Amino acid sequence: MTVHPLLAEALHAHGGLERWRQAGLTWSPVDDITFRVTRSRDIRAPTMGELFQSPLALLNTVSIPANTTLNPTNTAVSRSVFAPQSGSSTLKPEVANTFGVGVVLKPSFLPGFGASIDYYRIDIQDAIITPTAQNTIDQCNQGDAASCQRVNLAASPGVVSVNPVNFARQLARGIDFEASYRQDLANISSGLKGALTLRFLGTRFLENTLNSGIPGVPVYNNVGYEYIYGAAPPKFKYSINLVYEGGPLLASVTMRGISAGTYNPSYIECTSSCPAATLAHPTIEDNHVPGATYFDTSFTYKLPGGFEAYLAVDNLLNKDPVMVAVGPSIGQAPLSVNPNNYDVLGRTFRLGVRFKLK
């Protein structure tokens, strides 16, 4: 069993995982049903960038609440700060314990159909996360001495160093769904050629918890929330793909999307008679963040001599990404887009020819 493909953010798969313990078991009481369970232990060493990246200076705006370590006055302030982002040679490898259990259905009374449901649980120790400048400010105000060492507000603008760190724990749980059905069109009518395949992939994210181990810093299950330790996974992510194969032509249409979410579970949504905003529970007029649906299409045509011509159009309807309003209590810019959850490129085209060298 491979590591769950939709958890690249949680596992930082760009650094590579090394599996050094794995066990699995499958059981088919009848031909139509197969049960499976796996248990593995994986490690990921920090990447070269996480370890040795040269400082990259970025200008950020941070909010510093009143009566805190960094702002002992009675008035909250916003500051422009340089946030140099660099690697950290003190990082340790991540260790992940992965458990999965599921069932595969291939009913004999419905040829061409298959489905599976899998539950996964991934528990990462010493997960590598890069806090934002605002995260570092908040963690310092919560009493984390290591975060305070990365903050220098004496200069103008101030400096908040942003470095990757080993968080204490990251826990991810969810349920994967997959179903597909293939039908030869000749079975419907003798005059039809080719075949249609309909495939559904979906994940219901149940938990994505980051525990920094810092006293006073709350631990949230950030599934469906936008701004806790950076981007969070949506509650539901799906893809529906329809493929036609006939002779030299292969054509497909894909609908993909994510469910709606909220900014943050700690925010208090209100428009009047609002309580006093606090660092732990800011007030907000609208805590809702919309979901999104995108359509992609592709065409491939086989040419003589082993050549293939193809055309692919992603985000066919040119749907704009969801822009969320952020401010001193939420983020670091007037408007922001979460590139992990939303398409930020708009409609894109790819046209080319494929061939194999013999």
Side-chain angles (χ1 to χ4, degrees):
M1 179 180 176
T2 59
V3 174
H4 185 262
L6 294 178
L7 287 177
E9 298 89 350
L11 292 177
H12 299 275
H14 59 271
L17 285 166
E18 178 183 346
R19 174 155 294 143
W20 55 283
R21 289 182 188 174
Q22 181 178 4
L25 177 67
T26 61
W27 177 52
S28 297
V30 294
D31 291 340
D32 295 9
I33 302 175
T34 299
F35 296 96
R36 58 191 180 190
V37 60
T38 60
R39 174 72 166 82
S40 67
R41 187 170 175 86
D42 314 281
I43 62 173
R44 183 187 81 85
T47 66
M48 295 295 289
E50 289 170 339
L51 289 169
F52 306 114
Q53 176 182 318
S54 299
L56 175 64
L58 301 173
L59 189 62
N60 278 236
T61 300
V62 296
S63 175
I64 311 173
N67 301 312
T68 56
T69 302
L70 296 174
N71 180 22
T73 69
N74 294 324
T75 304
V77 297
S78 295
R79 286 282 304 272
S80 293
V81 298
F82 280 117
Q85 182 173 331
S86 62
S88 174
S89 60
T90 62
L91 292 175
K92 298 181 296 183
E94 297 177 343
V95 178
N97 294 306
T98 303
F99 171 78
V101 60
V103 58
V104 180
L105 306 175
K106 292 185 177 180
S108 55
F109 60 84
L110 186 59
F113 176 80
S116 65
I117 302 176
D118 291 276
Y119 167 83
Y120 65 87
R121 183 181 188 275
I122 303 175
D123 187 358
I124 308 174
Q125 303 293 330
D126 296 319
I128 298 174
I129 303 291
T130 302
T132 65
Q134 186 66 55
N135 291 152
T136 304
I137 292 289
D138 294 341
Q139 289 171 359
C140 176
N141 283 329
Q142 292 285 352
D144 180 44
S147 295
C148 291
Q149 292 177 358
R150 296 195 291 269
V151 179
N152 179 8
L153 300 179
S156 181
V159 178
V160 180
S161 299
V162 177
N163 310 105
V165 295
N166 288 103
F167 275 57
R169 186 185 183 194
Q170 183 170 4
L171 180 63
R173 298 186 300 113
I175 302 174
D176 289 335
F177 304 90
E178 179 176 358
S180 63
Y181 180 68
R182 179 183 174 87
Q183 178 65 261
D184 290 330
L185 297 180
N187 295 333
I188 301 175
S189 173
S190 59
L192 299 177
K193 296 182 179 180
L196 286 176
T197 301
L198 182 64
R199 188 185 187 195
F200 168 81
L201 291 171
T203 295
R204 173 61 167 94
F205 295 94
L206 300 175
E207 183 174 358
N208 188 52
T209 302
L210 297 172
N211 184 350
S212 67
I214 301 171
V217 176
V219 178
Y220 290 115
N221 174 16
N222 66 7
V223 169
Y225 301 114
E226 291 293 316
Y227 289 102
I228 305 175
Y229 302 111
K235 288 185 178 181
F236 190 72
K237 187 173 186 177
Y238 67 90
S239 172
I240 302 174
N241 181 239
L242 178 63
V243 179
Y244 169 77
E245 299 175 79
L249 177 65
L250 175 67
S252 70
V253 177
T254 300
M255 181 175 71
R256 54 185 171 90
I258 62 170
S259 60
T262 58
Y263 284 95
N264 192 309
S266 66
Y267 294 167
I268 299 173
E269 182 173 336
C270 60
T271 56
S272 62
S273 302
C274 295
T278 65
L279 177 63
H281 298 286
T283 57
I284 187 171
E285 290 186 0
D286 185 1
N287 204 26
H288 176 77
V289 178
T293 299
Y294 303 96
F295 292 89
D296 308 324
T297 186
S298 66
F299 303 90
T300 301
Y301 195 86
K302 295 181 180 180
L303 301 171
F307 289 81
E308 290 184 348
Y310 67 89
L311 169 66
V313 184
D314 294 336
N315 194 355
L316 182 65
L317 302 182
N318 199 30
K319 182 179 179 62
D320 291 332
V322 173
M323 302 189 73
V324 293
V326 298
S329 298
I330 302 175
Q332 293 78 43
L335 289 173
S336 185
V337 173
N338 183 344
N340 295 309
N341 288 344
Y342 302 102
D343 189 313
V344 298
L345 297 179
R347 186 187 298 119
T348 59
F349 298 84
R350 286 175 285 120
L351 177 66
V353 176
R354 301 187 188 97
F355 60 91
K356 295 181 179 180
L357 296 175
K358 298 181 180 181

